[in-house]
């Protein structure tokens, strides 16, 4: 039986990857998570429920209460397991949080990734190594593209970006936030282990990754948090850009299906922009309207003029490179379907706790 090692296994993407590889591909799955999300974001970021669900529902799932910053622990575990596939999703994932905890952010995102890469190089350099990167590696450079203001959203005015942001876009000389900078460090390191050591690595530069298992909080998890506010009747705060800022949203299952496609036919030191693309993009105002249509409950919101530092005005991923390298892969969950699942999950939580 093949073995998969997933870091951040209790999180949104990690838990989806564990489930898919165990159920659909018959892997023995080892997950690493220490519920650090609850340390980063407080009780509402707690991911123990996902951990318990995996332990209860997945045959052959083993949880390891380990911190990716624990270098010796990571090297030992990877040497023991010698997994056939490694998926790295553990991270401090928030822009805004990083400024308050710069050492924790960098140690987790950059050094934690290096620990895992080096552990893999020593024990199983031939195993596909898939790293969850982020579109924040592009910093605020996408904000310098000419934009047009439409009634409910911003969009690119420059036809060169009609399909979205490609992987060739600059990651240099822009404002990233400390989070974006620590993710650049890990992204470049993962590419380097691919190019320098010839390992089958890739970086997936995520747009907004989401789904019903997201513990959405104000500082991370756009659609999940927005739907939660609506279901619970809480006000949502819009930070700048008139609520017309655009995000592309991809369901965790479609993220996982791409990870599985890469693991099956890996390449070296690759980079992909993994988002929902233009078809799954929406502005905050459009997301309010969609959610209101599902719950029948008007969204109360307040606006502050100040946008979040380094935040994108309009971002959607150009999916053409992914589609050309992996023609069997495509988006299978529409924005509406994804939001429906998220709303249902929050309504269920509200009803049953
Ligand atoms: N969700 C998004 O919208 C999004 C967008 C772009 C990129 N990404 C990236 O995708 C990856 C996964 O994101 P997610 O939404 O699933 O995040 P998540 O916060 O839901 O999951 C991450 C998991 O990692 C764990 N973790 C954090 N630090 C750890 C540490 N030091 N040791 C062990 N475990 C630790 C957390 O407890 C959590 O369960 C991250 O790298 C993130 O930066 C996410």
């Amino acid at each position: 039986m093949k073995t998969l090692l997933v870091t951040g296994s209790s999180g949104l993407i990690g838990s989806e990857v564990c489930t898919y590889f165990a159920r659909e591909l018959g892997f023995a799955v080892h997950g690493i998570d220490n519920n650090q999300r609850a340390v980063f974001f407080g009780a509402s970021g707690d991911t123990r429920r996902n951990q318990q669900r995996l332990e209860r529902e997945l045959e052959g799932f083993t949880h390891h209460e380990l911190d990716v910053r624990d270098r010796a622990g990571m090297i030992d575990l990877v040497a023991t397991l010698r997994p056939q596939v490694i998926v790295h999703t553990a991270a401090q994932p928030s822009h805004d949080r990083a400024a308050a905890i710069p050492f924790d952010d960098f140690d987790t995102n950059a050094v934690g990734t290096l620990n895992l890469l080096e552990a893999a190089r020593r024990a199983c350099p031939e195993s596909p190594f898939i790293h969850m990167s982020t579109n924040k590696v592009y910093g605020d450079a996408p904000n310098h593209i000419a934009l047009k203001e439409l009634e409910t959203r911003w969009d690119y005015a420059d036809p060169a970006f009609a399909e979205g942001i490609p992987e060739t876009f600059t990651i240099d000389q822009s404002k990233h936030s400390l989070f974006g900078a620590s993710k650049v460090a890990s992204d470049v390191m993962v590419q380097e282990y691919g190019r320098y050591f010839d390992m089958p690595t890739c970086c997936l530069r995520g747009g907004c990754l989401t789904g019903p298992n997201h513990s959405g909080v104000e500082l991370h998890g756009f659609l999940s948090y927005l739907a939660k506010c609506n279901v619970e009747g809480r006000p949502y705060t819009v930070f700048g850009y008139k609520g017309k800022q655009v995000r592309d949203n991809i369901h965790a299952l479609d993220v996982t299906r791409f990870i599985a496609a890469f693991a099956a036919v890996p390449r070296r030191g690759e980079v992909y922009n993994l988002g929902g693309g233009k078809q799954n993009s929406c502005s905050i105002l459009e997301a309010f309207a969609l959610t209101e249509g599902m719950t029948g409950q008007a969204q109360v919101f307040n606006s502050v003029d100040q946008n979040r530092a380094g935040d994108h005005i309009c971002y959607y991923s150009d999916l053409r490179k992914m589609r050309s390298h992996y023609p069997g892969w495509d988006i299978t969950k529409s924005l509406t379907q994804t939001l429906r699942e998220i709303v249902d999950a929050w309504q269920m939580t509200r009803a049953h706790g």
Side-chain angles (χ1 to χ4, degrees):
M1 191 186 252
K2 287 186 174 174
T3 301
L4 166 74
L5 178 63
V6 181
T7 69
S9 46
S10 312
L12 168 75
I13 301 303
S15 62
E16 192 85 27
V17 169
C18 291
T19 305
Y20 188 91
F21 274 75
R23 291 213 179 123
E24 306 294 324
L25 306 176
F27 273 67
V29 176
H30 290 259
I32 292 175
D33 205 301
N34 62 350
N35 199 24
Q36 192 70 20
R37 188 173 170 92
V39 177
F40 294 143
F41 301 120
S44 55
D46 199 296
T47 56
R48 287 283 179 218
R49 188 188 285 228
N50 273 343
Q51 177 194 328
Q52 287 152 6
R53 181 171 54 80
L54 297 178
E55 288 178 311
R56 198 173 54 242
E57 294 178 1
L58 291 189
E59 219 174 293
F61 174 76
T62 311
H63 175 78
H64 300 269
E65 189 74 21
L66 192 61
D67 193 313
V68 295
R69 292 170 290 186
D70 173 357
R71 182 170 296 160
M74 295 292 288
I75 288 173
D76 280 355
L77 182 64
V78 177
T80 306
L81 296 175
R82 301 192 69 239
Q84 275 76 30
V85 178
I86 296 177
V87 180
H88 180 37
T89 81
Q92 189 300 106
S94 162
H95 248 345
D96 303 286
R97 191 77 191 102
I101 51 168
F103 292 123
D104 285 340
D105 177 80
F106 196 86
D107 287 345
T108 303
N109 291 352
V111 182
T113 302
L114 177 60
N115 290 343
L116 188 60
L117 280 167
E118 187 51 28
R121 185 176 77 86
R122 293 181 189 187
C124 49
E126 66 293 342
S127 300
F129 184 113
I130 294 122
H131 168 64
M132 290 311 302
S133 185
T134 170
N135 62 13
K136 303 298 186 298
V137 300
Y138 298 117
D140 64 357
N143 292 353
H144 301 135
I145 298 171
L147 296 175
K148 54 188 173 195
E149 184 174 357
L150 306 177
E151 199 181 330
T152 57
R153 65 158 71 192
W154 297 97
D155 202 353
Y156 302 122
D158 183 341
F161 299 101
E163 298 280 342
I165 305 288
E167 292 80 358
T168 48
F169 204 78
T170 181
I171 62 167
D172 198 13
Q173 299 183 60
S174 59
K175 188 197 267 188
H176 291 81
S177 81
L178 296 191
F179 160 73
S182 67
K183 293 293 274 191
V184 166
S186 56
D187 184 302
V188 172
M189 201 56 99
V190 171
Q191 290 186 57
E192 206 54 39
Y193 270 67
R195 294 209 169 83
Y196 195 91
F197 294 122
D198 207 26
M199 284 167 57
T201 69
C202 80
C203 299
L204 303 181
R205 294 178 174 165
C208 282
L209 321 177
T210 193
N213 296 320
H214 213 180
S215 309
V217 291
E218 184 171 27
L219 296 184
H220 182 244
F222 156 62
L223 262 194
S224 171
Y225 178 71
L226 184 145
K228 182 182 187 182
C229 286
N230 184 288
V231 168
E232 295 183 354
R234 295 193 206 181
Y236 182 96
T237 304
V238 175
F239 293 92
Y241 305 145
K242 307 183 195 174
K244 295 185 179 184
Q245 51 269 59
V246 170
R247 315 268 171 262
D248 68 338
N249 306 282
I250 180 168
H251 193 289
L253 178 63
D254 285 335
V255 173
T256 301
R257 289 177 49 261
F258 187 81
I259 289 173
F262 182 89
V265 189
R267 304 166 68 106
R268 287 170 204 270
E270 270 298 356
V271 169
Y272 298 100
N273 285 351
L274 175 67
K278 188 165 190 177
Q279 73 190 81
N280 271 11
S281 70
C282 65
S283 69
I284 294 182
L285 296 181
E286 291 164 354
F288 284 160
L290 267 175
T291 313
E292 287 167 354
M294 291 177 188
T295 64
Q297 187 153 296
Q299 180 62 52
V300 181
F301 68 98
N302 48 64
S303 302
V304 293
D305 277 347
Q306 189 56 47
N307 60 276
R308 289 177 157 144
D311 203 14
H312 293 148
I313 305 172
C314 178
Y315 187 97
Y316 47 86
S317 317
D318 183 340
L319 304 178
R320 286 177 295 180
K321 181 177 175 188
M322 296 173 64
R323 287 177 173 139
S324 85
H325 285 190
Y326 295 94
W329 177 88
D330 209 341
I331 300 280
T332 63
K333 298 256 191 186
S334 69
L335 175 63
T336 314
Q337 261 177 304
T338 304
L339 186 58
R340 177 83 262 168
E341 287 183 28
I342 297 171
V343 166
D344 287 351
W346 283 125
Q347 286 177 328
M348 187 81 88
T349 306
R350 190 165 167 77
H352 304 290

